[in-house]
Amino acid sequence: MSNTNSNQSFEVNFDGLVGPTHNYAGLSIGNVASLKNADQASNPKQGALQGLAKMNALSDMGLKQAVLPPLERPDIHVLRQLGFSGSDEQVITRAASEAPSIFAATCSASSMWTANACTISPSADTKDNKVHFTAANLSNKFHRSIEAPTTSRILEAIFTDENCFSHHEALPMGDHFGDEGAANHNRFCQSYGEQGVEFFVFGKYAFDSSKPFPKKYPARQTFEASQAIARLHQLNGNKTVFAQQNPNVIDAGVFHNDVIAVGNQNCLFYHELAFLNSDQVVKDLQEAYGEQPMHFVKVPESDVSLNDAVHTYLFNSQLVTLSDGSMAIIAPGECRENQAVKSYLDSVIAGDNPISRVEIYDVKQSMQNGGGPACLRQRIVLSENEIKASNSSVYMNDGLFQTLNQWVEKHYRDSLVEKDLADPNLLIESRTALDELTQILNLGSVYPFQLD
Ligand code: SUG
């Protein structure tokens, strides 16, 4: 299955580092875990170490792994835009006492879920043969809608070479072009370096209210946003498939498609209720893919209920290709605790599909905010030359793993509750940590506090 030419391509997982202000503020309506765990104490240190352990394990499995830094929080710049003034300390104190909900939103470490950071199309799929990046506007949730500017600066600091990489601004803000990045995007291909089928899943049509839409919870991704990304990335229309998420699953807590489906190479692993008109979706994907048959691993409600899928995050697993060409499911610890899901995972290995292995990792600090293994990573397919053209300091190896563990141990707290967020020392600690991190990762100045 792997490409043997001299410019071989790889899928590289860029995981988000859990930031120093990781906390549970109940900010995401429609995300069951976020609301359920609101106001619990969080442990940022443990969260960051859990994420690093997963990155290191995948790197040890022979997969290419890299890291993306967290954003600066609280976002003083946004608080100033909203009229809080004075020194940074006064801005924090005023915002926390006069507008605690707004303040909490500016403290979220939500950039850890890098699946939402952007959508990326590999050079094999784009007309100009460059890798295209569009930062996600994340307009549906205020705390996430403030991520894009710094996310873009970070991506541009890693993928600087204009001959290889093309960066697009986030789509216009607002519900009509709500874009949640790669959480609603998969790519199918025979080998990573060949032209693939890009699969965009959306929650509603923003310009046609006669079409079905969820009634209880918001649809964060629109059809029109997905189409705009495909246009910006210069994708081939015959190799691009758009599908609507089943509105009922959004209303059951599936706020992104990656909570109910995941794809890799020739395989789509999905719950039978994931899409509207599932049969048509399967037909469209197969037609765009070509003559070789794809594997559609459909999980019936009778094996794993929608409720179990939402609570265990079975489908928020990573589906990765191992060196022997078979695939592994990288699942969260919660999948082991649910009998139906555990049995299903045992059976999938024996089934007629490319999946040969299941690996379980504990990412509970992230899970309690609705972020599983797949939320924590952005997949970027890169050729060897493109890897060489990017910033080498972000790629995981034993040395970087050790350095980042020490960095977390040195700078992170092991408990945070809401009142701690207003502690001006937390801002100082975070900025000190991030300043050091930009040196470790050789990023230059990317944070507002470094640019002021
Ligand atoms: O956007 N949770 C994130 C979880 C994102 C998961 N990503 C993917 N499925 N790709 C969200 O809802 C909760 C923050 C809080 O409540 O403190 C939060 O933002």
Side-chain angles (χ1 to χ4, degrees):
M1 222 173 267
S2 64
N3 185 342
T4 51
N5 66 34
S6 59
N7 192 19
Q8 192 179 347
S9 288
F10 303 89
E11 178 180 271
V12 189
N13 283 299
F14 281 74
D15 277 46
L17 258 175
V18 173
T21 63
H22 158 58
N23 73 97
Y24 300 119
L27 301 173
S28 281
I29 294 158
N31 170 342
V32 178
S34 153
L35 291 204
K36 184 173 148 224
N37 295 303
D39 299 328
Q40 288 219 17
S42 64
N43 184 335
K45 183 179 280 184
Q46 190 181 47
L49 295 177
Q50 286 174 343
L52 280 168
K54 175 173 88 75
M55 294 182 222
N56 192 49
L58 266 66
S59 173
D60 282 351
M61 283 166 74
L63 297 161
K64 294 228 184 273
Q65 179 69 53
V67 62
L68 287 172
L71 302 187
E72 175 192 347
R73 294 291 179 263
D75 192 329
I76 303 288
H77 177 76
V78 162
L79 290 171
R80 288 190 188 283
Q81 258 186 306
L82 298 174
F84 298 102
S85 59
S87 64
D88 288 349
E89 184 170 343
Q90 285 167 329
V91 167
I92 289 176
T93 311
R94 286 177 184 156
S97 70
E98 291 169 32
S101 304
I102 296 172
F103 178 65
T106 66
C107 293
S108 176
S110 52
S111 63
M112 73 177 82
W113 300 298
T114 53
N116 303 116
C118 53
T119 306
I120 288 169
S121 296
S123 51
D125 298 354
T126 65
K127 208 166 167 190
D128 62 2
N129 298 117
K130 293 186 186 182
V131 184
H132 283 248
F133 300 75
T134 300
N137 63 23
L138 296 164
S139 66
N140 190 259
K141 297 279 177 274
F142 173 69
H143 69 289
R144 307 220 58 184
S145 70
I146 56 180
E147 291 179 27
T150 306
T151 299
S152 288
R153 271 198 298 278
I154 290 169
L155 291 171
E156 285 166 19
I158 296 172
F159 302 101
T160 38
D161 187 340
E162 288 176 9
N163 294 317
C164 300
F165 308 117
S166 174
H167 295 272
H168 305 279
E169 257 180 75
L171 299 181
M173 270 296 166
D175 194 46
H176 283 78
F177 290 98
D179 172 27
E180 300 277 318
N184 298 308
H185 178 250
N186 278 282
R187 174 175 187 263
F188 301 98
C189 57
Q190 294 186 26
S191 70
Y192 290 117
E194 287 174 45
Q195 182 173 34
V197 173
E198 298 213 12
F199 180 41
F200 292 84
V201 182
F202 57 92
K204 70 171 180 190
Y205 291 85
F207 287 83
D208 185 351
S209 54
S210 70
K211 296 270 177 44
F213 58 90
K215 301 288 185 314
K216 186 173 167 198
Y217 292 141
R220 297 198 199 182
Q221 179 88 30
T222 69
F223 169 69
E224 293 81 356
S226 301
Q227 284 221 311
I229 306 279
R231 269 193 300 273
L232 286 165
H233 292 195
Q234 306 178 12
L235 301 181
N236 176 342
N238 296 328
K239 290 277 185 188
T240 310
V241 174
F242 298 91
Q244 185 167 0
Q245 225 183 324
N246 177 350
N248 297 335
V249 304
I250 296 180
D251 282 340
V254 180
F255 55 97
H256 290 136
N257 177 61
D258 69 5
V259 176
I260 199 77
V262 59
N264 176 48
Q265 287 197 314
N266 61 356
C267 183
L268 174 64
F269 176 55
Y270 68 112
H271 192 276
E272 68 171 334
L273 299 174
F275 309 108
L276 261 189
N277 310 322
S278 255
D279 293 347
Q280 188 61 43
V281 173
V282 164
K283 255 171 87 180
D284 290 349
L285 284 173
Q286 183 62 69
E287 193 179 307
Y289 190 77
E291 279 168 18
Q292 297 283 333
M294 283 180 63
H295 285 275
F296 293 98
V297 183
K298 174 162 89 173
V299 182
E301 173 74 12
S302 54
D303 283 1
V304 176
S305 69
L306 186 55
N307 190 45
D308 281 351
V310 169
H311 286 92
T312 62
Y313 263 39
L314 167 63
F315 296 95
N316 202 260
S317 296
Q318 293 175 246
L319 188 57
V320 295
T321 301
L322 303 169
S323 50
D324 67 359
S326 71
M327 295 188 195
I329 289 183
I330 310 295
E334 286 69 5
C335 290
R336 208 171 23 200
E337 290 156 21
N338 177 298
Q339 198 45 52
V341 169
K342 189 172 170 300
S343 307
Y344 181 79
L345 281 173
D346 289 342
S347 72
V348 80
I349 295 173
D352 177 23
N353 63 61
I355 302 163
S356 67
R357 198 165 142 187
V358 174
E359 296 287 337
I360 305 266
Y361 293 99
D362 178 6
V363 288
K364 204 175 189 72
Q365 285 292 322
S366 165
M367 281 289 284
Q368 292 183 152
N369 252 338
C375 301
L376 287 163
R377 60 91 178 99
Q378 173 72 229
R379 290 175 286 190
I380 309 186
V381 168
L382 295 167
S383 67
E384 272 171 25
N385 291 342
E386 289 158 352
I387 291 175
K388 280 191 201 125
S390 58
N391 175 343
S392 60
S393 305
V394 299
Y395 291 92
M396 190 54 69
N397 53 42
D398 291 347
L400 182 60
F401 178 59
Q402 213 182 355
T403 303
L404 290 175
N405 272 293
Q406 285 162 355
W407 172 83
V408 171
E409 292 286 356
K410 176 171 156 199
H411 295 287
Y412 279 52
R413 297 192 185 186
D414 57 14
S415 174
L416 270 189
V417 291
E418 190 188 343
K419 73 169 175 27
D420 300 325
L421 298 172
D423 175 1
N425 287 329
L426 183 64
L427 177 72
I428 297 168
E429 288 162 31
S430 302
R431 285 181 171 173
T432 306
L434 295 184
D435 207 37
E436 201 176 307
L437 184 63
T438 50
Q439 290 166 43
I440 296 170
L441 300 180
N442 196 19
L443 293 172
S445 297
V446 289
Y447 296 114
F449 77 90
Q450 296 175 317
L451 300 167
D452 284 344

